[in-house]
Amino acid sequence: MAADERVLLMGEDIGPLGGVFRVTDRLQADFGSARVLDTPLAEAGIVGSAIGLAMRGYRPVIEIQFDGFIFPAFNQIVTQLAKIRARHDGRVDMPVVIRVPYGGHINSIEHHEESPEAYFAHTPGLRVVAPSTPNDAYWMIQQAIASNDPVLFFEPKAKYWQKGEVDPAAPAAGLHQTRIARTGTDCTVVGHGAMVTTLLQAAEVAQSEGTSLEVVDLRSVSPIDYEPLLASVRKTGRLVVAQEAVGNASIGSEIAATVAERAFYSLQAPVLRVSGYDVPFPAAAVESLYLPDADRVLEAVDRTMHY
Amino acid sequence: MSEQTTYGPLHGGADPEPIRFLDEAGAYAPSATAAEFADELSAVGIDDFKQWYRDMVSTRAFDTECAHLQRQGQLALWVPSVGQEGCQVGLGRAAEAQDHIFPAYREHAVALIRGVGFLQIAAQFRGLTHGGWDVTDPAHGNFHLYTLVLGAQTQHATGNALGQLLDAKRRAGDTSMDAGEPGTATGEATMVFYGDGTSSQGDANEAMIFAASYQTPEVFVVQNNGWAISVPVARQSRTPLYRRALGFGLRSVQIDGNDPLAAYAVGRRFLREARTGGGPGYIEALTYRVGAHTTADDPTRYRPAGELEAWQQRDPIARFEAHLRTLGIDDAFFEEAREEAEREAKRVRDGILSLPAPQPGSMFDHVYSEPHPRIDEQREWFERYESSFSEGSAE
């Protein structure tokens, strides 16, 4: 915001409160209420207004308070935001970032713990990313704001309270670049957002049991940077895809299909998916049974290793 | 105009008469509600009136031509504006060059006034483009693209107007925008068009909330043409639409939408107030969709008998022509204007049939502003695949 006066923030409760997760804490005090705008409670209005602001040269960073509340704005995102650049033959960019706290692990109530990223990955014109570490969150939000395309920026709520090192000096990985989070030789496991932590936990356990997992952090689900993932699969011969979202027509489905197309002869076993069940995100009391944990990942790894 | 607003008893008292300067026969007979806007017309001269007339007949001739082209299979769809030229010309001429205009999809007369060519509009309905004109080109008068998703443009307009407001604040070094603060003079405004059916959309209502909240320099224009495809306005609202805007805290009036003088006077006043910090306004223009919603529907299935004929008696072009005749304009002008309109419509007919289809690979061109591997791969594959056929035919 200091570097570019065209950047402004909009959302519900992002001003004096600093956002329900305090991500925008003190920004209104620093930049003024004309750069950090508390909005009426209307998600479509937030996105639709941001589109008009972007048409005028602003770079809005807007917040949808919770994942399950993005759908009132779905129309503006998929029929408008995603297509405006193409409809204008490239003459009008849409540098809008939509921040969405997403995913489970916080034992909240209905509509406060969902993973809607596949809806947006399905829509041409949008970019969809999800950091899994503080360092990535630091760099990726800046890269998203710098992008002239609309970016859905999914922030894993489970990670808001986890501390980690940020290196503001080291060159950042590209916004859409896949990251190898842990090297291994026997089986590749891939995920994004908070799931990466689960995969790393699974890899620790697997290591103690004599199986070496390579953990791949997608970082971006649209577009997906496939080359590092395919290289990993060619090395290990096996792939397990893990995600919090429901499995049907999901990011994991897309990865399984693409790996089957492009690395078929490297595969020693079918690609397996570990996901949320194909049900609405369940009540908090049973969410731990819905969310894939390290045990469910390891169960899939066992199946693929013994195929 | 009771035919289309058959409401029950209204809460809060009766409505004032719609603002009008011309009676149904075109005689200059201002309503009591028009008096406060009369001075807005003081600078309009005969030459302006002649231009307004040319705008109206040109649009109607174009419209008629496009309906024919659609019937002949040359356009995929056509959205006629016949009957609504009066409010469109008045409001279009009321805007100043620096103002922005967000249309729905039947504001053909406004497009013409702002410098967008009829051919560019027809091209979209022929299926050659999803946009059609360069909104960043000053020659196109800040007239934004048509939006087919009902009401989506109301929010884009509000965002644009918010940007106009924030620009003015930045120029003034004002970093705050607190709830309840008075409006800010911007020197420019945004006008957005939609219809009575769209008034039921959530987006249109949220746009009014945001506009009122931030006091954006904006004018909402609802062309109440009586019908949302086959659904009458009485199904959309139990109150006149302008009353809804009052509830959102907007200045709001109802005008005779077939009277270009009323549209111009009220539009000019509301736009000026928006530019000078008076906040958003709302104009409900009572008009009538003489044709179908689009060439895909059949109004004879749903319109009550006699309604069309009653409205044709108030045709905006005929009324305005009658007014101009009282000002001394003679047959020669009207004849010449109609002939020119026909020539222009013919140019559109000839032009649209010779417009080239877009380059096949262009569908990949502008989806993203920065490289995108999936698009790049698919474009390469597409080009290889398509060229394989031309290689085959050359053999």
Side-chain angles (χ1 to χ4, degrees):
Chain A
M1 293 185 73
D4 187 346
E5 65 174 2
R6 296 170 303 164
V7 176
L8 58 80
L9 309 190
M10 293 176 76
E12 296 155 7
D13 304 309
I14 67 167
L17 182 64
V20 291
F21 294 103
R22 308 293 184 267
V23 172
T24 55
D25 193 25
R26 293 192 299 277
L27 288 175
Q28 193 180 66
D30 289 348
F31 291 96
S33 50
R35 297 259 329 256
V36 180
L37 281 73
D38 266 334
T39 63
L41 279 155
E43 284 81 7
I46 296 170
V47 175
S49 299
I51 290 170
L53 283 161
M55 286 175 170
R56 208 173 161 78
Y58 283 89
R59 308 182 75 85
V61 182
I62 62 185
E63 177 176 299
I64 299 295
Q65 203 161 68
F66 281 93
D67 35 35
F69 303 145
I70 198 168
F71 297 103
F74 194 70
N75 171 49
Q76 282 287 347
I77 298 170
V78 303
T79 76
Q80 305 298 312
L81 180 66
K83 298 174 72 175
I84 281 173
R85 184 173 201 281
R87 294 188 63 225
H88 284 87
D89 294 332
R91 298 180 187 109
V92 175
D93 284 330
M94 277 289 117
V96 176
V97 177
I98 305 180
R99 295 182 39 240
V100 190
Y102 90 107
H105 304 284
I106 65 166
N107 295 303
S108 192
I109 63 168
E110 192 181 21
H111 305 305
H112 289 68
E113 299 193 272
E114 296 182 7
S115 295
E117 58 271 31
Y119 292 105
F120 304 101
H122 187 69
T123 301
L126 303 176
R127 296 175 181 273
V128 186
V129 303
S132 69
T133 69
N135 192 63
D136 271 349
Y138 174 83
W139 282 110
M140 287 169 72
I141 189 68
Q142 296 181 62
Q143 293 165 326
I145 294 168
S147 172
N148 283 326
D149 293 325
V151 180
L152 274 289
F153 196 84
F154 282 95
E155 301 176 6
K157 291 189 285 279
K159 294 284 154 193
Y160 280 142
W161 295 276
Q162 290 190 4
K163 295 190 188 304
E165 291 297 319
V166 171
D167 188 344
L175 182 61
H176 298 292
Q177 206 170 318
T178 289
R179 176 177 76 100
I180 306 300
R182 176 184 171 120
T183 55
T185 53
D186 296 332
C187 176
T188 301
V189 292
V190 61
H192 61 276
M195 189 52 61
V196 176
T197 303
T198 305
L199 297 178
L200 289 168
Q201 290 164 353
E204 277 299 307
V205 176
Q207 191 70 46
S208 69
E209 295 171 350
T211 304
S212 171
L213 299 187
E214 180 144 298
V215 178
V216 179
D217 177 0
L218 283 178
R219 298 174 73 252
S220 169
V221 297
S222 183
I224 290 172
D225 173 22
Y226 275 108
E227 274 315 312
L229 176 63
L230 290 167
S232 178
V233 170
R234 289 187 189 111
K235 181 173 73 171
T236 65
R238 292 178 165 84
L239 179 64
V240 172
V241 188
Q243 63 191 5
E244 294 183 22
V246 297
N248 187 46
S250 65
I251 305 298
S253 312
E254 183 60 36
I255 289 174
T258 303
V259 170
E261 281 178 357
R262 302 191 186 183
F264 183 74
Y265 289 108
S266 300
L267 287 169
Q268 303 295 315
V271 178
L272 293 183
R273 284 176 289 165
V274 183
S275 70
Y277 301 110
D278 289 343
V279 301
F281 196 94
V286 291
E287 79 168 68
S288 63
L289 301 175
Y290 166 91
L291 288 168
D293 60 6
D295 285 343
R296 270 170 64 190
V297 173
L298 289 167
E299 189 275 337
V301 169
D302 282 348
R303 273 192 284 149
T304 190
M305 293 300 294
H306 295 102
Y307 179 76
Chain B
M1 304 210 165
S2 56
E3 295 92 327
Q4 68 172 66
T5 52
T6 50
Y7 308 102
L10 288 168
H11 302 287
D15 291 299
E17 191 182 5
I19 296 162
R20 73 164 62 85
F21 290 91
L22 300 181
D23 70 15
E24 295 190 0
Y28 189 80
S31 61
T33 49
E36 65 170 305
F37 296 94
D39 57 345
E40 301 292 344
L41 294 166
S42 59
V44 185
I46 285 286
D47 287 344
D48 298 310
F49 283 155
K50 285 178 162 177
Q51 184 58 51
W52 296 10
Y53 185 83
R54 283 193 288 264
D55 295 340
M56 291 165 76
V57 294
S58 292
T59 304
R60 185 163 295 184
F62 163 68
D63 226 317
T64 305
E65 187 63 50
C66 284
H68 293 159
L69 284 165
Q70 195 281 330
R71 291 295 182 225
Q72 293 159 12
Q74 300 296 342
L75 300 184
L77 186 73
W78 182 243
V79 185
S81 68
V82 173
Q84 299 180 216
E85 298 92 343
C87 52
Q88 291 193 15
V89 167
L91 290 157
R93 288 289 169 193
E96 295 195 356
Q98 73 273 24
D99 296 334
H100 282 246
I101 296 177
F102 286 74
Y105 45 71
R106 70 169 92 244
E107 282 68 43
H108 313 318
V110 188
L112 168 71
I113 289 165
R114 300 300 282 193
V116 173
F118 282 149
L119 199 54
Q120 293 169 292
I121 294 171
Q124 177 169 11
F125 291 93
R126 189 167 165 81
L128 301 177
T129 168
H130 287 320
W133 52 92
D134 178 359
V135 303
T136 67
D137 182 344
H140 295 151
N142 298 323
F143 186 80
H144 289 257
L145 296 186
Y146 280 180
T147 298
L148 302 187
V149 177
L150 295 182
Q153 81 280 10
T154 61
Q155 300 194 346
H156 309 164
T158 300
N160 188 77
L162 179 57
Q164 291 171 321
L165 176 61
L166 293 173
D167 286 352
K169 279 180 172 283
R170 279 201 299 174
R171 286 194 297 270
D174 179 357
T175 60
S176 70
M177 191 154 68
D178 298 322
E181 74 176 37
T184 300
T186 53
E188 55 183 315
T190 300
M191 182 156 57
V192 59
F193 287 85
Y194 55 105
D196 43 297
T198 298
S199 296
S200 297
Q201 289 280 350
D203 277 15
N205 288 276
E206 289 186 28
M208 284 193 281
I209 292 169
F210 274 61
S213 174
Y214 298 118
Q215 288 293 288
T216 54
E218 186 173 4
V219 177
F220 293 84
V221 175
V222 174
Q223 294 175 85
N224 178 353
N225 67 17
W227 295 90
I229 305 189
S230 67
V231 179
V233 65
R235 178 64 69 200
Q236 308 289 342
S237 180
R238 300 292 290 190
T239 73
L241 295 172
Y242 86 96
R243 285 191 174 220
R244 289 192 178 166
L246 295 172
F248 289 106
L250 272 55
R251 285 174 291 115
S252 174
V253 296
Q254 195 179 50
I255 68 168
D256 180 336
N258 285 8
D259 174 2
L261 298 179
Y264 177 86
V266 175
R268 193 172 137 89
R269 172 74 59 84
F270 275 36
L271 284 164
R272 187 172 63 247
E273 288 179 354
R275 287 184 216 107
T276 54
Y282 181 106
I283 300 167
E284 179 189 6
L286 296 172
T287 182
Y288 194 71
R289 194 194 75 210
V290 168
H293 163 69
T294 71
T295 43
D297 80 320
D298 175 8
T300 63
R301 284 173 171 248
Y302 53 80
R303 275 183 183 159
E307 186 182 84
L308 175 64
E309 291 71 22
W311 276 93
Q312 282 174 326
Q313 299 302 313
R314 306 168 190 148
D315 180 80
I317 294 179
R319 279 167 75 176
F320 195 55
E321 182 171 327
H323 176 58
L324 295 192
R325 286 182 186 279
T326 66
L327 298 179
I329 297 175
D330 60 16
D331 284 343
F333 167 76
F334 297 113
E335 193 56 35
E336 187 187 320
R338 279 192 287 267
E339 283 173 7
E340 172 55 28
E342 292 302 325
R343 280 196 298 276
E344 180 61 27
K346 173 76 164 50
R347 277 196 289 273
V348 170
R349 157 173 285 276
D350 295 342
I352 194 71
L353 298 180
S354 57
L355 277 185
Q359 288 297 313
S362 67
M363 71 175 95
F364 299 100
D365 282 350
H366 304 300
V367 185
Y368 295 95
S369 71
E370 293 155 24
H372 188 286
R374 203 172 167 90
I375 299 284
D376 295 344
E377 285 167 18
Q378 290 180 5
R379 182 210 302 270
E380 282 172 27
W381 188 90
F382 169 84
E383 285 169 357
R384 255 198 332 274
Y385 178 72
E386 293 297 322
S387 66
S388 71
F389 296 106
S390 55
E391 283 163 14
S393 63
E395 284 171 5

